[in-house]
């Protein structure tokens, strides 16, 4: 089995860092300028995550190509960490946005447009659940769905998997201590209360942890992705998702499936691809082609129970009760969503994207096999990710322990220097409708070259 030559890695990392900085004077200057008035020197603090000491500054983006201020063009596999899954500025979305803004008029008015019912019907066709409401982000969709789940069940707690990520949702920043108790995830910024007061932490692929957490009958909702995608991709083992549904049914706990990233599995995410039966579904990031949007869907049963609870209590869904937001459901987001779902993120587009992710995965696997490297690559529909462990980790906690900061920084910089962008968070690559086989092969070639340079002889 091959290993990484650490002194060669250190040497190559220095070289890639220097090459990155030298080739990007305009981005470097823009970053220095931005440092004066922006928190962390960037418009949103995560943008400081990019490898290289400063982020490349965006000049323009179209399809799966992105050009920076210094004139470098990249094949973009980051795609806005999924926000641009439909590709950058897809033509049907742009036409709908133009129409709404210029011809129809009205960006946000706190009044419904007919696009909302079309989008909701389309989401029902894809995900099964029958009643939808809109937000401006997946974070808000999750927050509001959790509140409704507590109202519907009359229970106080949430269950969430260790190292799952659902946006900046307080209840979900949990991990499991070695004794199985729930503790805050490292780095959690000033939580209002210790998360164990709101949440029971679960371990992925460990049904016993789920049984134990739900058995007391005080958990309103189990929130999960159908595969973890924010700590590498950790797939469910056979029977695990059926087991979740069964334990939820037995304990009267609602099951919320967050498909924000796993929409990559197909037009109806894993819910459709794997025949799941969620009580609630949440979505965000991509389905309005990059225009801000989020959505939560309720099964008919949950919608009926919600109506009963609203009638029986003073819960205020139409004003300041804690669900909703002024700009949510605005005319522009919904016009963009209608065009994106109807004409861009179609069944045919997913077939193309998934074929390319299969090609991408095979290309990476070839290099891992050639060197017998103890890494793994996992595909989930149109996305794929490599991880520095073999076999691929089976739990969130296991995957959290499989990071390698130096190798990761090296790969990100070496790829960027060769015109390829991966998401700044771990090593995820996403295909969009504009991605081509040649783009995938460019990654395969660059990956083979940069990995060979650090493998011990
Ligand atoms: C599964 C999942 N849900 C929700 C979110 C939150 O999305 P946003 O940051 O756009 O609100 C994310 C973000 O990465 C996510 O991966």
């Amino acid at each position: 089995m091959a290993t990484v030559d650490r002194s060669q890695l250190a040497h190559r990392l220095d070289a890639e860092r220097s090459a990155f900085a030298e080739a990007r004077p305009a981005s470097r200057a823009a970053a220095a300028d931005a440092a004066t008035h922006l928190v962390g020197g960037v418009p949103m603090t995560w943008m400081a995550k990019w490898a290289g000491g400063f982020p490349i500054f965006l000049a323009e983006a179209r399809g799966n190509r992105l050009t920076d201020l210094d004139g470098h063009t990249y094949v973009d596999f980051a795609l806005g960490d999924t926000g641009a899954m439909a590709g950058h500025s897809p033509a049907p979305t742009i036409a709908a946005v133009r129409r709404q803004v210029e011809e129809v008029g009205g960006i946000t008015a706190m009044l419904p447009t007919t696009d909302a019912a079309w989008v909701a019907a389309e989401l029902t066709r894809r995900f099964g659940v029958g009643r939808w409401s809109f937000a401006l982000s997946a974070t808000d969709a999750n927050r509001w769905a959790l509140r409704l789940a507590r109202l519907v069940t009359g229970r106080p707690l949430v269950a969430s998997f260790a190292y799952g990520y659902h946006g900046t949702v307080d209840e979900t920043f949990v991990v499991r201590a070695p004794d199985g108790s729930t503790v805050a995830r490292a780095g959690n910024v000033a939580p209002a209360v210790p998360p164990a007061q709101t949440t029971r932490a679960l371990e992925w692929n460990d049904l016993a942890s789920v049984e134990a957490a739900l058995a007391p009958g005080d958990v309103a909702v189990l929130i999960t992705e159908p595969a973890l995608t924010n700590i590498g991709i950790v797939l469910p083992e056979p029977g695990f998702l059926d087991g979740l549904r069964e334990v939820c049914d037995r304990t009267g706990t609602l099951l919320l499936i967050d498909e924000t990233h796993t929409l990559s599995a197909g037009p109806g995410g894993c819910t459709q691809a794997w025949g799941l039966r969620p009580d609630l579904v949440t979505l965000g990031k991509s389905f309005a082609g990059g225009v801000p949007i989020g959505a939560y869907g309720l099964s008919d049963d949950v919608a009926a129970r919600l109506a009963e609870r609203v009638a029986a209590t003073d819960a205020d869904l139409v004003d300041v009760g804690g669900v909703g937001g002024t700009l949510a459901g605005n005319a522009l987001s919904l016009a963009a969503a209608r065009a994106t779902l109807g004409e861009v993120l179609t069944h045919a587009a997913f077939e193309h994207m998934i074929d390319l992710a299969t090609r991408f995965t095979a290309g990476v696997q070839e290099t891992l096999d050639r060197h017998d490297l103890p890494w793994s690559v996992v595909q989930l529909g149109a996305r794929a990710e490599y991880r520095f462990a073999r076999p691929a980790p089976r739990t969130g906690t296991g995957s959290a322990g499989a990071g390698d900061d130096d190798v990761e920084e090296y790969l990100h910089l070496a790829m960027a220097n060769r015109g390829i962008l991966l998401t700044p968070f771990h090593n995820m690559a996403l295909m969009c409708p504009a991605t081509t086989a040649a783009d995938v092969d460019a990654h395969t070639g660059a990956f083979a070259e940069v990995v060979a340079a650090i493998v011990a002889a």
Side-chain angles (χ1 to χ4, degrees), residues 261-428:
H261 275 184
T262 49
L263 176 60
S264 67
C270 292
T271 294
Q272 188 185 70
W274 298 346
L276 308 179
R277 290 182 298 108
D279 299 302
L280 304 100
V281 173
T282 52
L283 285 170
K285 295 199 182 191
S286 64
F287 72 94
V291 175
I293 197 161
Y296 56 93
L298 314 177
S299 69
D300 287 347
D301 178 54
V302 171
R305 288 168 66 189
L306 176 64
E308 275 168 31
R309 291 288 290 170
V310 168
T313 66
D314 67 352
D316 179 2
L317 276 192
V318 295
D319 199 351
V320 289
V323 174
T326 314
L327 298 181
N330 72 74
L332 181 63
S333 296
L334 285 157
R338 181 172 185 165
T340 306
L341 289 170
E343 301 172 63
V344 187
L345 290 176
T346 59
H347 183 80
F350 275 101
E351 273 185 355
H352 167 76
M353 291 151 66
I354 292 169
D355 279 352
L356 290 180
T358 304
R359 186 182 184 104
F360 182 102
T361 306
V364 170
Q365 189 65 55
E366 228 174 78
T367 290
L368 304 189
D369 290 346
R370 186 175 317 125
H371 299 288
D372 193 19
L373 261 178
W375 299 356
S376 47
V377 56
V378 176
Q379 179 185 357
L380 182 59
R383 79 173 69 237
E385 166 140 16
Y386 27 94
R387 202 92 186 127
F388 311 117
R390 187 179 77 192
R394 57 177 294 277
T395 66
T397 304
S399 197
D404 188 323
D405 291 348
D406 286 347
V407 173
E408 198 160 302
E409 185 185 354
Y410 165 71
L411 288 176
H412 279 254
L413 286 176
M415 287 299 179
N417 287 334
R418 287 157 184 75
I420 291 168
L421 278 194
L422 298 170
T423 100
F425 313 100
H426 31 105
N427 309 291
M428 194 160 71

Side-chain angles (χ1 to χ4, degrees), residues 44 46 81-83 136-142 164-169 223-227 229-230 258-262 282-286 293 383 425 428:
M44 191 275 290
W46 299 1
D81 193 36
T82 304
L136 280 183
S137 67
T139 295
D140 273 345
N142 280 322
Y165 185 75
H166 300 282
T168 52
V169 178
I223 179 172
T224 186
E225 292 187 273
T229 67
N230 285 287
D258 178 347
E259 292 272 20
T260 301
H261 275 184
T262 49
T282 52
L283 285 170
K285 295 199 182 191
S286 64
I293 197 161
R383 79 173 69 237
F425 313 100
M428 194 160 71

